[in-house]
Amino acid sequence: MRKAAHMVVTSVVVGLLVSGCGGGDDDKTDAKPKGATTTAEQQSKSPEPSAQGSMIERAAGSWKSIVEAKDTGLETLTIADGKVTAKGPKLDCTGTLKSGEKAGKEAPTLTLTCKGGGDGDRGVGTVGMKDDDKLAIDWAGPEGGFGGLVESFRKVG
């Protein structure tokens, strides 16, 4: 008999703890385990890229190289409406950013033409972004070569 009464009391206490009843803390919100997120929270934290606009739209603005530019490097990149200007210590370039796809993902193509003809083996590159403040260009490099430079930029405006 004692054993049965003890089991009933234990069941009631466990039931109250699991359901959150008892204690009278009406001002506390429901607790959830650390790291747990609801579907609504996940959607608000990481909206689909299409909801933020195309990569060309998100790339609009001014960018600065994350490394100090050498003679043939680019220091700054400015993108507006698919038009690009890029400058470095010895480079003054203009170009276009056009939509494209690579391996089923958005991968715009940047084509540059520099004054004086020397583009430091750039010419055509594929643009990628991480978040909205980091941009990288994977340049194709010279024809017949094994690929080109990869340049990285941070948004400054």
Side-chain angles (χ1 to χ4, degrees), residues 52-74:
Q52 298 173 349
S54 71
M55 193 179 300
I56 293 173
E57 293 168 335
R58 295 182 337 213
S62 297
W63 300 85
K64 183 166 176 52
S65 176
I66 64 168
V67 297
E68 185 177 334
K70 303 292 182 205
D71 286 347
T72 60
L74 294 176

Side-chain angles (χ1 to χ4, degrees), residues 2 21 27 33 37 41 48 53 65-66 77 79 86 93 102 105 116 120 131 133-134 141:
R2 271 187 172 162
C21 295
D27 59 337
T37 58
E41 287 174 325
E48 293 296 317
S65 176
I66 64 168
L77 195 64
I79 303 170
C93 312
K102 192 174 191 179
K105 294 185 179 185
D131 303 320
D133 64 341
K134 297 171 193 84

Side-chain angles (χ1 to χ4, degrees), residues 55 58-59 63 77 79 97 102 105-110 125-139 150-153:
M55 193 179 300
R58 295 182 337 213
W63 300 85
L77 195 64
I79 303 170
L97 186 59
K102 192 174 191 179
K105 294 185 179 185
E106 185 179 19
T109 302
L110 173 59
T126 303
V127 175
M129 287 182 74
K130 180 166 172 91
D131 303 320
D132 281 342
D133 64 341
K134 297 171 193 84
L135 181 139
I137 305 168
D138 184 5
W139 296 104
V150 175
E151 292 182 293
S152 299
F153 298 85

